[in-house]
Amino acid sequence: MKRTILLAVTTLILTCMRYVATAQTTYTLAAAIDTARVSSPVLKAQYMNIDASQADVITAKLRPNPNLNNQTMQLVSSDRFAPGTRWSSKDNRQVWYQVTKPIQWPNQRKYKIETANKNVTLANNVYQENVRNLSLQVGNSWITCWVLKKRLALLNDSRGNLDTLVKINELRYKNQVITQTDLSRTRVLLDQYNLQLSVFMQDYQNELQNLQLLTGTTDSVDIDTSSVVQSIEPTATLDSLITLTMENRTDVVLAKSNIDERSSNIKFQQAMAVPQPQLGVIYNPQNSVPYIGFYGAIDLPFFNRNQGEIKKAHIQEQQAEQELSATRRQVMTDVATSYKTYQLQKQNLKKYEGILQQSQQILDNVKYAYLRGGTTIIDFLDAQRNWYDTRLLYYDALQSYYQSYVQLLFATGLINQL
């Protein structure tokens, strides 16, 4: 059973080493987020909404096409034909050619183009908000990978130290210095580490795959654990952060641009309440006698004065203003809670520094005493577990701290500056 576990762990380690060896890109937190902005297939698809909005601007600038109308009336009764003519003679036919064109009032064209341009700005702000949301996902995924890689390094070191101790204890057991039970206890703990190693390694691989999907890269990815994670230090006070966020966070900018677009739409719908005339010319040969005339038509606004669209535009503007108000309240809550959480996690992390030093000192002392026969294997294994568990808790705290850091950057909108 032990050989099977050891073989499985060894195979998994070799597979992961081969996976890391073929990795072409090692990412820092900022590099991973920046790569996602450029390569993410989701963002690429969403960016096309901007191009589609720009195409609407082209449509808004187009003027109405002229309309060509032809009516031909043929005399049917042969006894009514002109003398000496046949059915196909132009003397027995009336033809009507009419060319008209809708007249677009200047304000209608102006506000139609203005609204289309505001829609381009709106689409761009929607895209920036999508970038902010994706940056949060990439940041959390990167931090998870970072912590898992640190845990793997810790577990590998602990496993290596314990493996050395097992070999020492096998020699000591052979020399009858320790009992079979002491040797078995050491091996059991080593087997536990081997099982944890396989779980951690699989979790790390899974999260790397998720990070690769989010960044949109086709190459294998790896995590840079040697660089500084915090490239932006939020040192401002809570009030100044809230003020800064109210101006720069993408969802606030999006809500404001939405109001701007709705205001332009109101002007456009009001301009459309004015009827559009149609003017044109007529050429009308009647029984070979040519006539020329002019054509003009306009709707009489007795019933339809675009009341429904105007009212709808006003409601949509009020809706956008309400959304801005709700977004601002959400900003205040997000920044306040994320800032306080970040400060708390930062304080908790400092407290772990002393605990880590104490657990290391205890392990060194107990190990020294055990190898010289001054204490039992139980004391040493207990110190080893305490040392290992303390560092796992430290990495949990470190993960919570870095996630609170990314969440604070997300809440303030600074994550788009990474």
Side-chain angles (χ1 to χ4, degrees):
M1 179 64 180
K2 294 179 180 178
R3 289 182 178 179
T4 304
I5 295 175
L6 183 59
L7 180 61
V9 172
T10 304
T11 303
L12 186 57
I13 292 174
L14 291 175
T15 302
C16 294
M17 289 177 62
R18 191 180 304 112
Y19 175 81
V20 173
T22 57
Q24 297 181 1
T25 309
T26 300
Y27 288 108
T28 62
L29 174 60
I33 292 176
D34 191 56
T35 301
R37 292 171 186 160
V38 175
S39 304
S40 170
V42 176
L43 284 184
K44 287 181 179 180
Q46 293 170 346
Y47 187 82
M48 293 180 183
N49 290 331
I50 301 177
D51 296 334
S53 298
Q54 291 173 342
D56 289 337
V57 176
I58 298 175
T59 302
K61 292 180 179 180
L62 298 177
R63 298 183 182 275
N65 288 324
N67 179 267
L68 174 62
N69 177 30
N70 170 259
Q71 299 179 32
T72 301
M73 303 182 66
Q74 178 66 43
L75 188 60
V76 178
S77 300
S78 58
D79 56 346
R80 299 288 185 176
F81 287 173
T85 62
R86 304 177 62 184
W87 180 87
S88 59
S89 175
K90 61 181 180 180
D91 293 333
N92 302 318
R93 183 169 58 248
Q94 296 184 11
V95 181
W96 176 290
Y97 294 102
Q98 175 181 296
V99 178
T100 62
K101 184 181 183 301
I103 302 303
Q104 190 178 41
W105 297 114
N107 278 349
Q108 292 175 342
R109 175 178 167 80
K110 172 185 174 182
Y111 291 126
K112 187 176 183 180
I113 296 174
E114 179 182 294
T115 303
N117 284 321
K118 296 293 178 61
N119 275 324
V120 174
T121 304
L122 186 64
N124 182 68
N125 290 332
V126 170
Y127 174 76
Q128 294 300 327
E129 174 63 8
N130 292 332
V131 169
R132 185 175 75 101
N133 291 322
L134 180 65
S135 298
L136 176 64
Q137 297 180 45
V138 174
N140 285 331
S141 178
W142 187 93
I143 289 171
T144 302
C145 290
W146 189 93
V147 172
L148 284 171
K149 190 172 182 179
K150 287 288 188 179
R151 286 178 176 177
L152 279 172
L154 170 66
L155 188 54
N156 271 318
D157 291 341
S158 302
R159 178 180 169 276
N161 295 334
L162 200 58
D163 186 60
T164 302
L165 181 62
V166 168
K167 294 178 181 178
I168 294 174
N169 280 349
E170 287 175 349
L171 182 61
R172 297 177 72 188
Y173 173 71
K174 183 177 180 181
N175 296 331
Q176 298 183 351
V177 177
I178 61 174
T179 64
Q180 175 69 37
T181 302
D182 292 340
L183 177 60
S184 298
R185 283 172 174 165
T186 312
R187 286 175 173 171
V188 167
L189 185 57
L190 179 61
D191 292 338
Q192 292 176 0
Y193 281 2
N194 287 333
L195 289 174
Q196 289 185 33
L197 183 63
S198 63
V199 174
F200 281 6
M201 191 68 76
Q202 188 61 54
D203 289 343
Y204 180 59
Q205 283 190 15
N206 293 342
E207 196 58 45
L208 281 179
Q209 290 291 328
N210 184 47
L211 181 62
Q212 183 179 4
L213 175 65
L214 290 173
T215 55
T217 180
T218 56
D219 299 330
S220 300
V221 299
D222 195 15
I223 302 301
D224 183 4
T225 56
S226 60
S227 61
V228 178
V229 176
Q230 292 181 264
S231 56
I232 298 178
E233 185 66 28
T235 56
T237 62
L238 178 58
D239 291 338
S240 59
L241 279 177
I242 291 177
T243 302
L244 180 66
T245 304
M246 287 295 185
E247 297 298 326
N248 299 323
R249 205 169 96 166
T250 52
D251 56 346
V252 177
V253 176
L254 173 60
K256 291 179 180 179
S257 64
N258 198 19
I259 294 177
D260 201 17
E261 187 272 338
R262 300 288 170 84
S263 298
S264 294
N265 186 48
I266 289 176
K267 297 175 184 178
F268 173 63
Q269 297 301 334
Q270 288 174 339
M272 291 300 294
V274 180
Q276 286 184 300
Q278 288 194 11
L279 301 178
V281 294
I282 302 170
Y283 176 66
N284 179 212
Q286 298 186 19
N287 306 110
S288 73
V289 180
Y291 291 83
I292 190 170
F294 297 93
Y295 174 88
I298 190 171
D299 292 335
L300 299 179
F302 293 146
F303 306 109
N304 181 2
R305 297 186 299 277
N306 207 35
Q307 305 97 314
E309 291 299 324
I310 293 174
K311 182 176 181 180
K312 178 181 177 182
H314 280 289
I315 293 174
Q316 288 177 337
E317 184 185 40
Q318 295 173 5
Q319 182 186 40
E321 291 173 350
Q322 183 63 37
E323 289 173 351
L324 176 60
S325 176
T327 302
R328 283 174 171 166
R329 293 187 62 181
Q330 185 68 48
V331 165
M332 294 181 64
T333 302
D334 290 347
V335 175
T337 55
S338 60
Y339 180 81
K340 293 176 182 177
T341 301
Y342 171 73
Q343 294 296 335
L344 176 62
Q345 296 297 342
K346 190 175 183 179
Q347 294 173 5
N348 290 341
L349 198 62
K350 291 181 178 179
K351 295 178 182 178
Y352 267 100
E353 295 177 358
I355 299 175
L356 290 175
Q357 293 178 358
Q358 292 177 5
S359 65
Q360 182 66 54
Q361 184 177 1
I362 292 172
L363 178 61
D364 293 340
N365 292 339
V366 174
K367 183 177 181 180
Y368 179 83
Y370 171 71
L371 293 177
R372 283 158 180 77
T375 187
T376 63
I377 186 64
I378 297 177
D379 293 334
F380 172 74
L381 295 180
D382 184 65
Q384 172 69 29
R385 290 190 187 94
N386 180 70
W387 176 88
Y388 177 71
D389 291 342
T390 300
R391 272 149 184 79
L392 285 184
L393 291 174
Y394 169 73
Y395 284 130
D396 289 340
L398 198 60
Q399 181 176 6
S400 298
Y401 170 66
Y402 284 146
Q403 285 178 339
S404 68
Y405 161 72
V406 172
Q407 185 65 38
L408 179 60
L409 295 184
F410 173 76
T412 56
L414 294 174
I415 197 169
N416 281 13
Q417 299 180 15
L418 282 177

